Amino acid sequence: KRSWMARLKAGLSKTSSNLTLLFVGAKIDDDLYEELEAALLMADAGVDATQFLLDALKRKVKDEKLTEAAQVKAALRTLLTELLTPLQKPLELGRHQPLVMMIAGVNGAGKTTTIGKLAKHLHAYDQSVLLAAGDTFRAAAREQLTIWGERNNVTVISQESGDPAAVAFDAVHSAKARSVNVVMVDTAGRLPTQLHLMDELKKVKRVIGKGMHGAPHEVLLVIDGNTGQNALAQVKAFDDALQLTGLVITKLDGTAKGGVLAAIAKTRPVPVYFIGVGEKIEDLQPFNAEEFVNALLD
Ligand code: GDP
């Protein structure tokens, strides 16, 4: 079985080869910078982060009088790591009883899978978990979740009423009564352009706050790492609506380009708590900037 790092590297291999090959035997000239610019843009780093990295790199090359391509690559590694390090922040447990987390995302981003992985992660830290089945649109989804909860020792609160805010409110109350450590409030997938559904999310958040003052303590957005530049638009829209506290970026083992983390770091630096590197329950890893940049540049 391949390690998660090997899967991350395989997932980012296209970007990685684009970024590393251009340094091989290269002279430090405008051609090199142009190739690097193209590689970063192709990797979904976006215009702002790409420009920022290029400017910083040129300055570093000049200031430090770098003459070898390998030195320039090392300088890029440092700059990328510095750019991504502010995104690195662990999810802190035990700050509240219960700790209430709300989880949002577009359909297919990997929300359900991530909730399962998170439950396992939390159990590993001796945290009991209660899940609010806030995806009230699909009855089948609700049933599936209940079965999954029974198997995995996670209490699942669901209702037929169809009001996700009411389910969330109930869940917070049950969690208090049962002394559960962490509540995860799942929400139905939605696009940021579906304004009434975004309003519904805001309502869920508000009602959670009525159930427990100061909650939700965490508002996470799950995004598909293959979404490209649109991922940034999702982060902005959900952050504007919900004031996100963290991101989970999934499917980085697939054919993700990885550069979107640079775009997020430059324009909307919401911490990345975890990355998804596979479909299995253990395939969730805390984000580490240095490891990630190494996967991109080695
Ligand atoms: P949801 O609609 O947001 O709840 O998305 P799901 O959790 O149902 O995930 C959609 C698909 O993505 C499923 O086939 C998952 O197995 C897959 N998936 C989720 N996370 C990852 C990941 O980190 N890596 C890979 N390769 N697949 C993932």
Side-chain angles (χ1 to χ4, degrees):
K1 185 172 167 287
R2 287 200 296 172
S3 72
W4 71 268
M5 192 58 180
R7 266 178 286 120
L8 177 63
K9 274 190 180 165
L12 299 176
S13 63
K14 185 86 185 11
T15 298
S16 178
S17 61
N18 284 347
L19 276 178
T20 51
L21 284 177
L22 61 94
F23 289 105
V24 176
K27 280 206 291 273
I28 304 172
D29 54 14
D30 285 347
D31 281 351
L32 178 68
Y33 291 123
E34 266 172 37
E35 282 180 43
L36 181 57
E37 181 175 18
L40 288 169
L41 289 172
M42 284 224 309
D44 294 329
V47 176
D48 290 352
T50 298
Q51 202 53 53
F52 169 80
L53 285 167
L54 277 175
D55 290 347
L57 190 65
K58 286 177 188 171
R59 215 176 310 123
K60 214 168 165 64
V61 166
K62 200 166 158 233
D63 291 350
E64 298 175 15
K65 301 189 172 57
L66 306 182
T67 53
E68 309 279 328
Q71 293 174 313
V72 182
K73 186 179 162 189
L76 176 65
R77 188 187 303 266
T78 306
L79 288 169
L80 257 176
T81 308
E82 280 170 8
L83 179 63
L84 298 189
T85 296
L87 298 184
Q88 183 182 317
K89 186 172 173 259
L91 173 63
E92 284 174 37
L93 302 171
R95 292 170 292 150
H96 302 279
Q97 180 67 36
L99 180 77
V100 182
M101 308 204 290
M102 180 174 164
I103 296 145
V106 306
N107 272 317
K111 210 156 46 67
T112 311
T113 312
T114 297
I115 286 171
K117 291 171 174 175
L118 269 173
K120 166 147 179 166
H121 175 86
L122 293 166
H123 282 158
Y125 285 87
D126 289 325
Q127 303 286 300
S128 52
V129 177
L130 183 145
L131 180 61
D135 188 347
T136 49
F137 284 105
R138 296 176 300 172
R142 214 164 52 227
E143 277 157 33
Q144 245 179 349
L145 206 60
T146 308
I147 295 167
W148 172 86
E150 277 163 14
R151 279 203 205 117
N152 292 281
N153 210 9
V154 171
T155 310
V156 177
I157 302 288
S158 79
Q159 277 183 3
E160 278 168 38
S161 81
D163 180 3
V167 178
F169 186 83
D170 261 17
V172 171
H173 267 271
S174 303
K176 277 194 207 160
R178 300 174 201 210
S179 302
V180 168
N181 299 122
V182 182
V183 183
M184 286 195 273
V185 178
D186 187 19
T187 60
R190 68 200 73 214
L191 291 170
T193 47
Q194 295 172 305
L195 295 181
H196 61 296
L197 293 181
M198 293 306 277
D199 282 343
E200 183 189 78
L201 269 189
K202 289 188 209 172
K203 182 180 166 197
V204 170
K205 188 182 173 194
R206 216 165 44 234
V207 171
I208 290 173
K210 296 210 166 110
M212 180 178 179
H213 184 70
H217 311 102
E218 300 285 355
V219 183
L220 306 190
L221 179 69
V222 177
I223 47 183
D224 179 339
N226 298 285
T227 317
Q229 280 290 293
N230 189 251
L232 183 61
Q234 285 176 24
V235 174
K236 283 183 183 165
F238 279 92
D239 190 33
D240 287 343
L242 299 172
Q243 294 79 50
L244 299 174
T245 62
L247 305 175
V248 178
I249 304 185
T250 65
K251 309 188 200 180
L252 288 174
D253 57 310
T255 52
K257 296 173 174 175
V260 74
L261 275 94
I264 290 169
K266 192 73 194 88
T267 49
R268 194 59 74 99
V270 180
V272 177
Y273 286 142
F274 296 99
I275 57 173
V277 287
E279 294 186 273
K280 301 230 181 59
I281 197 129
E282 59 276 7
D283 295 332
L284 187 76
Q285 291 289 330
F287 172 68
N288 179 286
E290 207 175 310
E291 283 172 352
F292 190 82
V293 172
N294 288 343
L296 275 179
L297 291 181
D298 286 337

